[in-house]
């Protein structure tokens, strides 16, 4: 059995990337699979996940990303264990997180827990057909003339290199209207107060369930640089997706996270 883990501090997007990576890998290697920390899953009330088998109660090794080495027993809940793989925390000379696909994942053995940031589509992008079935949610009927804007505020607004400026959203809406005259816009966000400053005349919708489902079933999308929005975009119904070039560092024009370049032909990066 191989296992993944839902950390309490992870957002829904990060949690789902862990899930689809573990399940895809298990399927390809013929292993049973399980998810640890199930009570931490943030989408339990609207995403019908199969968590797999009950995880084994073993406590072996863990990887410390600060020391870049393996250590002894984890000083956490006994049902949460680590083994001999974790995606590495890799940074350049400027401190930018440049982690990407790690081929070592293909060599893990049975009875291993994998823990890492699996944003690179090389882990799961070839399996989107199955992922659509795994991430079951109640469908939404979305009008053809409605563009959903996925606006990320919250802690993003405190990081100048990360938070997308008004210029990005204005350029994206202009491009969408050029392609589809008469398009209407609706903003789905975790931060309605900040969203109102950027989009004072558009409807603002807050709610993790309706936000995620709307992105999945919308025909047209403008999204922010957030894992929350990319998964439903890639498995969704959108015909036209606009996303920020350079992803996490559009403001400095540097691909600090090259793993976040997704090759879907529906996506236009600006």
């Amino acid at each position: 059995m191989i296992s993944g883990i839902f950390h309490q501090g992870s957002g829904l997007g990060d949690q789902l990337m862990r899930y689809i990576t573990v399940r895809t890998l298990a399927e390809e290697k013929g292993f049973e699979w399980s998810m640890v920390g199930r009570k931490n899953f943030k989408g339990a009330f609207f995403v019908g996940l199969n968590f797999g088998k009950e995880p084994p109660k073993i406590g072996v090794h863990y990887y410390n990303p600060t020391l870049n080495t393996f250590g002894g027993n984890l000083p956490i809940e006994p049902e949460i264990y680590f083994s001999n793989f974790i995606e590495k925390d890799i940074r350049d000379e400027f401190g930018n997180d440049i982690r990407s696909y790690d081929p070592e994942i293909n060599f893990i053995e049975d009875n291993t827990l994998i823990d890492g940031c699996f944003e690179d589509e090389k882990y799961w992008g070839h399996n989107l057909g199955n992922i659509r079935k795994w991430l079951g949610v109640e469908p939404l009927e979305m009008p053809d003339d409605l563009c959903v804007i996925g606006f990320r505020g919250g802690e993003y607004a405190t990081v100048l290199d990360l938070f997308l400026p008004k210029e990005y959203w204005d350029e994206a809406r202009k491009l969408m209207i050029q392609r589809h005259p008469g398009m209407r816009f609706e903003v789905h966000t975790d931060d309605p107060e900040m969203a109102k400053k950027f989009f004072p005349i558009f409807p603002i919708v807050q709610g993790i369930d309706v936000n995620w489902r709307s992105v999945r079933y919308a025909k047209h999308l403008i999204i922010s640089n957030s894992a929350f929005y990319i998964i439903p975009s890639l498995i969704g119904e959108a015909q036209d997706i606009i996303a920020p070039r350079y992803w996490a560092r559009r403001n400095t024009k540097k691909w600090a996270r090259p793993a976040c370049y997704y090759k879907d032909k529906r996506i236009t990066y600006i």
Side-chain angles (χ1 to χ4, degrees):
M1 180 186 295
I2 61 171
S3 301
I5 181 170
F6 294 133
H7 289 296
Q8 186 174 7
S10 296
L12 178 62
D14 293 330
Q15 290 181 338
L16 288 177
M17 285 182 173
R18 292 168 182 270
Y19 177 83
I20 62 179
T21 297
V22 167
R23 195 165 173 181
T24 294
L25 184 66
E27 184 180 78
E28 292 172 349
K29 296 180 77 68
F31 293 158
E32 292 184 329
W33 58 276
S34 177
M35 293 303 296
V36 180
R38 301 176 183 189
K39 64 181 183 297
N40 297 326
F41 179 54
K42 291 181 167 61
F45 68 102
F46 76 97
V47 184
L49 286 193
N50 177 355
F51 295 123
K53 301 285 186 176
E54 286 296 316
K57 308 293 185 181
I58 59 174
V60 284
H61 293 89
Y62 75 98
Y63 177 85
N64 186 314
T66 302
L67 300 177
N68 199 34
T69 185
F70 286 95
N73 293 328
L74 274 178
I76 54 176
E77 299 177 55
E79 72 268 23
I80 297 179
Y81 68 93
F82 284 66
S83 188
N84 59 355
F85 175 81
I86 184 170
E87 191 184 31
K88 300 168 181 62
D89 182 10
I90 305 173
R91 298 181 182 273
D92 65 14
E93 66 273 24
F94 304 106
N96 293 315
D97 187 341
I98 57 173
R99 76 185 83 181
S100 191
Y101 180 70
D102 186 350
E104 284 298 313
I105 197 171
N106 296 289
F107 299 94
I108 68 167
E109 300 177 355
D110 206 358
N111 297 317
T112 298
L113 184 146
I114 64 174
D115 182 40
C117 180
F118 302 110
E119 293 177 309
D120 197 311
E121 64 183 354
K122 293 186 183 71
Y123 291 113
W124 41 259
H126 54 288
N127 201 28
L128 290 179
N130 284 326
I131 292 169
R132 288 186 182 95
K133 300 174 185 177
W134 298 343
L135 305 186
V137 295
E138 183 180 354
L140 283 177
E141 290 291 334
M142 303 295 288
D144 291 340
D145 65 342
L146 178 66
C147 175
V148 167
I149 295 176
F151 178 82
R152 179 66 180 270
E155 72 277 14
Y156 271 42
T158 67
V159 184
L160 293 179
D161 288 351
L162 179 63
F163 189 52
L164 292 168
K166 189 173 184 298
E167 167 264 327
Y168 165 73
W169 301 106
D170 290 345
E171 184 178 345
R173 287 191 293 111
K174 180 179 179 181
L175 178 58
M176 188 63 72
I177 291 172
Q178 287 176 347
R179 292 176 173 178
H180 310 283
M183 185 65 63
R184 297 182 295 114
F185 296 92
E186 185 175 87
V187 182
H188 287 256
T189 181
D190 63 323
D191 189 344
E193 291 187 8
M194 182 65 71
K196 288 177 183 176
K197 297 177 182 179
F198 280 69
F199 312 100
I201 65 172
F202 298 146
I204 306 292
V205 181
Q206 182 185 25
I208 186 173
D209 55 338
V210 68
N211 292 163
W212 201 92
R213 291 164 60 220
S214 294
V215 171
R216 176 162 181 174
Y217 290 103
K219 306 301 190 299
H220 309 279
L221 293 171
I222 298 172
I223 62 172
S224 65
N225 44 8
S226 170
F228 179 87
Y229 297 109
I230 193 62
I231 289 295
S233 297
L234 294 177
I235 66 172
E237 305 294 329
Q239 305 162 8
D240 196 357
I241 305 168
I242 297 177
R245 189 174 177 181
Y246 308 107
W247 198 250
R249 291 295 181 269
R250 185 181 188 275
N251 300 342
T252 59
K253 293 181 170 53
K254 178 181 177 65
W255 279 102
R257 298 196 69 141
C260 296
Y261 173 71
Y262 303 98
K263 301 177 181 64
D264 194 304
K265 294 180 179 179
R266 298 171 298 167
I267 300 178
T268 300
Y269 291 95
I270 64 171

